[in-house]
Each structure stands twice: as structure tokens, then as C-alpha cells.
Amino acid sequence: MDVLFKESVGDLKGVGAKRKEALQQLGIESIWDLLTYFPFRHEDLTVKDIETIEDRQKVVLQGVVIAPAHVQFYGRRKSRLSFRINVDHVIVPVTFFNQHYLEKQVNEGESLKVFGTWDAQRMQLSGIKIIGSQTANQNEKFEPIYHSSKDISHAIIKKIVKQAWDTFQQEITEVLPDYLLQRYQLMPLKEAIYNMHFPENPELMNLARETIIFTEFFVFQLRVQFRRMVHKNIGAGQAIDYDLDQLKNFFAQLPFELTNAQKEAVNAISADMKRPIQMYRLLQGDVGSGKTIVAAGAIVAAHSVAVQSAFMAPTEILAEQHFDSLQSIFEPFDIRMALLTSSTKTKERNELLAQLEKGEIDIVVGTHALIQEDVIFQHLGLIIIDEQHRFGVNQRKALREKGKHPDVLFMTATPIPRTLSMTAFGEMDVTTIDEMPPGRLPVKTYWIRKKQLPQLYKEIKKELDKNSQAYIISPLIEESDELDLENATKLAEVYSETFAPQYRVALLHGRMSAQEKEETMQQFKHHEIDLLVSTTVIEVGVDVPNATMMVIHDADRFGLAQLHQLRGRVGRGAKQSYAVLVADPKGENGVKRMQIMTSTTDGFEISQKDLEMRGPGEFFGKRQSGVPEFKVADIVEDEQPLEVARYEAAHLLLEDDFRKNPHYQVLRTLVGIEDGQINDILD
């Protein structure tokens, strides 16, 4: 297999510098890349009965050429090749445009197979290719269709793939263990690759596809399970032998009882902290499900044995909000807190850092400011990272390195579908809070057309008259010729004309400075602003309980997950809250998104729909580096083989035979496991 990974496609006959560059643009650099550059579909080249084919269907007809072919040239470099074939006593005219060179393959009296598009009304075939003559390949049954580019055609890719197969097929080594091939009735990898490119029938094509899907998932899941093993065993971690009585006392003094889902989360996190291995857990739950109080319990547990905690949030607004929330929760307890952001004044910062290093601060809440070199802890044992996918890998690593293998708890208010959590976050343990605290009123959601805006203004005024507040969301800051969207600046003017001076209207957008945004949000939070017109800079987690209405203009332009997050800005207090989606969707998907949003407030159901509609790469609103790309497998469509592969990978990784048997060397190399590495971890 090494040869396949090391050998360049540039070494193939007929692949010069230009073709090599064109292939590289398609992600093809090695022979392995080329052999696993699978067609996205196959054209069926088996001969069809003329009586069964439908109009505009692509088909293969076989007949005898009954007269010489005729070529007509017209225009600039344009041509028409015409001839007729006798198909089961039906005379079928065939026309090829701009392929006059095919005339040499059309000989009167010869049987010919022609692939083309059928015109049922005229009973004629618009030719695409000749696939059979006395001088052509009579045996080709399926035409592989590859993604190509303007620099390299589908036909050239097909030719190069065939050349690579003929030259290097003997280098393909089996990856899956024999027992898995037998258990799941899969074909050997070599056969699977061949039948992905050159299948003889649909059954072999489907079996090859199933084999490649399982192989991709299995190798990936082995990598994931191995990373889990490494995370849990690096330096063995530190056991936080917390005071159980103190933890019980903390939860007993709360003015409410935890939900069953919260209790399960607390138990899972507490068990992790007790073990002498590094916790690496994702805590996910919908907006308002109570993740913060669970995290607070972990902080109390760490504090009970003088272990410091760090809580990192992606923005200053969220960091300050978490700080205020935790400060309120910890008020009856002797837990010393500090807030560290880029806005922290120099003198205050220096004092804070000195106290942190001496162990005089139990928990520090902050932003990226926490990972700077001069931030030193006396004994950091617990890290909590909010909305972790908004931090880079190196940023998260820099914070972990400030302690001796501290426990790490990631939190997200973006409900993540199961298949995505097994891939993007597969190396973590995942805990889900899937129930809301009792008494919380679900946000009522409505979809209206723009012509209904006058009625909407009346409904907004009713809420403002009740001393409530409202968000107005727009996706753009200024005019765009390309997109017919309302923009925040114009909306602010419209809402000011409609509601001022009786009600105070303010504008918030991404081009404002951090200080300006912070000041505006604080004014809204303290009810110095009644209507906040904003772009999507309204952060996940921003908490203004008095805001009861969320109006989203051009809502069909947003993804489901983003709409759900925006809706979560309201409904955080005791009052009934509302979300109004203003949209005139032009496409079917836009209508579908509006219907989904008005039919459910279940974040996990919405996230699954969002994953299905947009795909895993765009789930977080931008391409998330943690989401793997598979060549054939699809985490939405292929959930069952993903589950099976995960199960099998977890079991194989712990087998002595896998670690020692030379038969598994290829698989260990693909996964990135060095000789003896697993034994070192387990020992």
C-alpha cells in the first residue's frame, strides 16, 4: 500500500505538468487518491427494448446501420453526423453534434450500440457516444461518470484511472479483518475498488459501495477511538477526589430541583473527575436546558479540594454573562471568582494574575485572554470551554497546557445530531441534556409574509406596551444589488419611524467596535433600549429575560440551526415569548425551513433536519475543521454502518491480536498507531 500513497499521478503515462496540476485541483496527487476518486454515478449501457423506453431517457440502442453516415458542417467549427439504424424492424434516425470524427465507426451493414437521449415524439436518438462496433469495446456495460473540471475532462480521468488500475492493482492490500468481511458479507478491498469504477452489474456496484462506506467509517472510527484512548491516558490525568457532602450541599441549597437529565450529567461528570484519567467530555443541550448549573457543580467539586477552574467563552459579552451568572449561583458559597478579558485594565489584570498564581482565585472566567503566556495557575484541574467549535485546536490546547492534564468539559448550546457527534466530536464522551426545566414556556413561532408587516408592528407594540423588549434581526448591514434583502441600517430607520420616540430603538452590527457592541448590549440588558435592530452578532447565550419577541427578517436566508439559536434569545423569563419569521421564500427549501421552525421547538429535531438539508460541512454556519470528509460515506444517509463501524472499531482496538499480529500492520499504519504505542498507554 505504501507505493500507492507515495507514487505520484505525474508518473503515469500521458500525465504531464498541466494534467498533473488539473488533477491536484481535484484533490488527486497520489495513485491512491486516483484509485479512490470514485465516479459519482454510472450510466447504464445495457441495451434497452425500444418499446419500454421513455421520453428524454438516456438509453443504449443496438441496431444495424442501414445506410452510409452523412456529415454536414455549418457555422464555425460545428458539425452534424447523421445515420439510421434498424432496431427490431424500427428505423431510428441518430444524430451526433460536433463529433464528426465518429463517422469512421459507422459502417453500413454493421451492428452498432449507440448511447444517447431518446426523443419519443420524433422516434429518434440524440447521440452521446458510440459504445459498440466491430472496432470498439463491445463489453462495456456501465459508464463511470467522474467529477471533472474545465482543465481535465471526464473521459481523460476515466482513461487515467484505468491505466492506474492496470499498473498498480497488485499493490492494493486488504484493510478490513477477514472476520468483518465475512460477518457483514463485504467484498475484498481490491474487488470493491474495481467494481466502484468498472462494475459489471448493479449488484456488484452496490456491494462495492457498501464495502467502501464501511471501510471509510471503520478506519475513521479506529482513529477516533485511538484518540479517545490517548486523551484518557496521557500522563494518567489527575483524580479530583472531591468532597461529596459539599457537592450535595450545593445542589440542596438551589431554589429548584435538577431535571433528571441534569442529574445524569452531574453524575457522569463527577465520575470522570474522580478517575485518574483526563476528562474529555462534551455537554450539549438546547438553549435554557440548564448546562450552566451542571458546570457550576463541577466547579464546586474542584473547589472542595482546592483545585482551580477556568471557564473560557468565545466573546466578552458571553464571558461577562457567565461570570455574572456564576457569581449569582455561588453567592452563598466561599468561592473566589475573577473575570479576565482583553478589556481588563492593566492594574486590575496584574493583581488578578498574581492572585491566580498564588491560588487565591478559585475560578477565572474569560475569553482568549486566558491563554496568554503570563496567565499562570497554582493548580488548574478543571477547564470548561463554551461553544468549543469557535476556538481553534491550538487555542484549546494552550489552555489545557496551563494545568497538569486537567479535566476538560466542553459545552455547546448547538444541539448536535448523533451522527455528527460520532464524527466531529467522536473522541469525546458526549452527555446530552435533552429535557427542559419544568414551567418553562415554549416560544410560539409564526411565519408571515412581508405584506403582513403592518399587522406585525401592532403585535410588537402590544409587547412593548407590556414593558417588554424585542429583537429585530436582519442578515445584512448595507444595501446589496445581488440579494433582495432588508438591511439592518434601513430596518433601524423603519422601526425608528414606526416606534420612536415612544420607544427607544438602537442598532447593533458587526462593524461596530467591541466596546460599542458591549455598550449597546448592556443598554438593552438594562432596558435602556426597547427595540434592538441587529445583524446576527446577537450571541448564543446572551440572556435578556425581559425580551419577549424575536423578529427575523428574510428568515428563509438562514439555516435552521441559526434560526433556532436566534429564537433562543427570547423565552428566557417568565413571560410568554414569540418568534416571528418574516419571509417570502422563492424556493422549496426556504418554505420547508419555515414549516419546520413553526412546527417544533425541539433543538435536536431541528439540528437533524438542518444536517439533512445542508450537510455536515456547513452545520456550524461555516466549514468546521472537525467534520471529516468521506469520499463515499455520508454521515446523514449511512447512520447504520457508522454505528456498526464504531462498535467494531472500539472492540478491535482493545484486542491483543490487533496490537501484535503483523496481519494488522496495514490497518495500524492507516490509523497512525506506532508499534507498541497502545501497550504503552494501557500499561
Side-chain angles (χ1 to χ4, degrees), residues 500-545:
Q502 182 179 1
Y503 295 106
R504 298 157 293 185
V505 181
L507 174 62
L508 180 69
H509 59 73
R511 294 187 186 176
M512 295 166 65
S513 69
Q515 184 176 351
E516 289 173 327
K517 284 189 278 190
E518 170 63 19
E519 287 174 357
T520 303
M521 276 308 305
Q522 289 298 336
Q523 288 173 344
F524 187 64
K525 192 170 183 177
H526 295 128
H527 204 165
E528 296 166 13
I529 294 168
D530 301 297
L531 272 165
L532 182 62
V533 181
S534 174
T535 57
T536 54
V537 295
I538 295 293
E539 297 288 352
V540 171
V542 170
D543 192 1
V544 182

Side-chain angles (χ1 to χ4, degrees), residues 195-215:
N195 282 287
M196 286 293 289
H197 293 290
F198 319 111
E200 292 188 5
N201 58 59
E203 290 73 24
L204 287 173
M205 190 191 310
N206 291 335
L207 183 55
R209 184 177 177 79
E210 288 175 12
T211 300
I212 297 297
I213 288 171
F214 185 85
T215 304

Side-chain angles (χ1 to χ4, degrees), residues 92-207:
V92 177
V94 181
T95 304
F96 280 89
F97 289 96
N98 305 320
Q99 296 187 64
H100 62 89
Y101 51 84
L102 294 177
E103 182 185 10
K104 296 176 183 178
Q105 295 187 37
V106 183
N107 300 303
E108 186 177 1
E110 282 188 5
S111 178
L112 200 66
K113 288 182 185 176
V114 183
F115 178 62
T117 304
W118 179 246
D119 185 333
Q121 187 175 357
R122 297 180 180 179
M123 291 288 286
Q124 65 183 29
L125 196 68
S126 178
I128 297 172
K129 65 179 290 190
I130 293 173
I131 61 169
S133 69
Q134 289 182 350
T135 57
N137 180 9
Q138 295 274 1
N139 299 317
E140 191 173 20
K141 295 180 179 178
F142 295 92
E143 166 84 353
I145 308 297
Y146 299 91
H147 286 295
S148 55
S149 69
K150 62 181 178 62
D151 297 317
I152 189 165
S153 69
H154 143 76
I156 294 297
I157 294 173
K158 177 187 173 186
K159 181 180 177 182
I160 296 171
V161 168
K162 184 64 168 66
Q163 183 188 343
W165 171 263
D166 292 341
T167 308
F168 292 99
Q169 59 174 291
Q170 71 280 1
E171 299 292 341
I172 299 173
T173 308
E174 185 52 58
V175 170
L176 295 178
D178 291 340
Y179 73 88
L180 289 181
L181 293 177
Q182 294 170 12
R183 182 176 296 168
Y184 299 108
Q185 298 180 315
L186 304 173
M187 62 171 54
L189 180 61
K190 185 175 176 180
E191 286 182 36
I193 291 175
Y194 178 82
N195 282 287
M196 286 293 289
H197 293 290
F198 319 111
E200 292 188 5
N201 58 59
E203 290 73 24
L204 287 173
M205 190 191 310
N206 291 335
L207 183 55

